Amino acid sequence: MAAAPGTPLVLIVCLRGAYDATSLLVPVARSFYYEQRPSIAMAQPGSAASAAVPLDAEWGLNPALVDS
């Protein structure tokens, strides 16, 4: 059933087993990210084969999203 035009809506999306925002686009320049995710943080660019791919000095991309 569709809501009438102009009616406020709430959309809730539950993703199980999916990427969260900081696993997709990694804040590699922020120590807070690494402090809060010691066992699941994406490695900083250049530190490992599976490390984040640098986009700029602040952000990296999950390597699983880069074409080979």
Side-chain angles (χ1 to χ4, degrees):
M1 296 184 338
T7 302
L9 300 174
V10 174
L11 175 64
I12 299 172
V13 178
C14 296
L15 301 174
R16 293 185 181 204
Y19 287 114
D20 66 7
T22 55
S23 291
L24 176 68
L25 191 59
V26 183
V28 295
R30 307 283 182 213
S31 62
F32 181 78
Y33 168 75
Y34 294 100
E35 292 164 5
Q36 296 303 308
R37 295 175 165 235
S39 63
I40 63 170
M42 185 68 49
Q44 290 185 316
S47 64
S50 61
V53 177
L55 296 175
D56 63 18
E58 300 274 330
W59 297 95
L61 185 65
N62 188 306
L65 301 172
V66 178
D67 290 336
S68 300

